[in-house]
Amino acid sequence: MNISGVTYCQNWSTKLKGPGRPLTESAARKRWDKGDAFTAVIPTSEPDGQPILVTVCWRNKHLGVEFLDRFGRRTTKYAFRRVDEHQLFLETVWLHRYPSDDPSLGLNGADRIEWFNYHGEDRMTHHITDKTEHFKEKVDYSDIDFTPNWEPVPEFGDWASVARYERKQPPVGGAGGQ
């Protein structure tokens, strides 16, 4: 399912909180075919909503999805690895929390960062860094169900499934997994 209103850029500028180098859809498709990086900027229907950013670089076997708060700051990022021509695997999830609504706070201004590394073979590592509480933690888990981590490789322009925030549901348009 294609989403209307998607625009493309070579990169997203966190400083400008917008496209760093805009691209036409045709230019983005050429970058897709060659494996070069580009970002699909997906509009949201939320009143204060920021776009969802889908960054693709097949040369590096990477597809990333970023969710921004109303100030354009990253709150959540999903990093998928392309396993083969049909499957993506969600390898890392980052969650950022900011101490205030100060829009000038960038990623380094986050006071709490959590990230989850999914290692496969039913193992996951959960990291927490909390600057306010001066706290760091790293916990390994096993017996993890990786079913929600599998995602089909989308067709160019079909960003709906990879751009969904809720990852516990099956992929849009089909089942993931191996």
Side-chain angles (χ1 to χ4, degrees):
M1 169 179 49
N2 287 330
I3 301 169
S4 63
V6 175
T7 58
Y8 296 92
C9 57
Q10 188 169 332
N11 61 315
W12 182 261
S13 171
T14 54
K15 188 174 185 176
L16 297 174
K17 299 186 181 179
R21 293 181 86 184
L23 294 172
T24 64
E25 182 175 336
S26 174
R29 185 179 296 272
K30 286 178 185 170
R31 294 182 77 78
W32 166 280
D33 292 340
K34 289 172 47 179
D36 293 338
F38 70 93
T39 299
V41 182
I42 302 169
T44 182
S45 58
E46 302 290 320
D48 273 350
Q50 292 289 321
I52 299 167
L53 309 175
V54 177
T55 301
V56 180
C57 184
W58 293 140
R59 187 177 307 239
N60 293 336
K61 299 180 181 182
H62 173 79
L63 185 144
V65 181
E66 291 188 56
F67 297 89
L68 310 174
D69 67 9
R70 66 181 189 190
F71 303 110
R73 304 176 301 193
R74 179 194 301 160
T75 57
T76 305
K77 181 177 180 177
Y78 300 137
F80 292 90
R81 176 179 44 84
R82 187 171 183 168
V83 176
D84 58 32
E85 65 183 69
H86 302 290
Q87 300 257 347
L88 299 172
F89 182 75
L90 178 60
E91 280 190 318
T92 309
V93 174
W94 285 273
L95 305 171
H96 293 78
R97 184 187 74 189
Y98 300 90
S100 73
D101 284 345
D102 180 355
S104 68
L105 292 173
L107 280 176
N108 290 336
D111 64 346
R112 182 179 175 98
I113 301 171
E114 292 185 59
W115 65 103
F116 302 84
N117 290 327
Y118 299 98
H119 306 287
E121 301 176 17
D122 84 351
R123 219 170 49 79
M124 175 191 83
T125 305
H126 179 197
H127 303 262
I128 301 172
T129 299
D130 191 310
K131 295 177 187 175
T132 304
E133 300 292 326
H134 307 289
F135 172 77
K136 284 188 178 191
E137 181 177 70
K138 176 182 168 186
V139 180
D140 286 311
Y141 296 92
S142 58
D143 296 326
I144 305 299
D145 176 13
F146 286 125
T147 304
N149 292 57
W150 292 98
E151 180 75 32
V153 173
E155 295 292 325
F156 179 89
D158 187 7
W159 310 118
S161 190
V162 293
R164 63 194 161 87
Y165 186 83
E166 180 58 55
R167 301 305 312 172
K168 292 182 182 178
Q169 301 301 318
V172 175
Q178 281 190 311

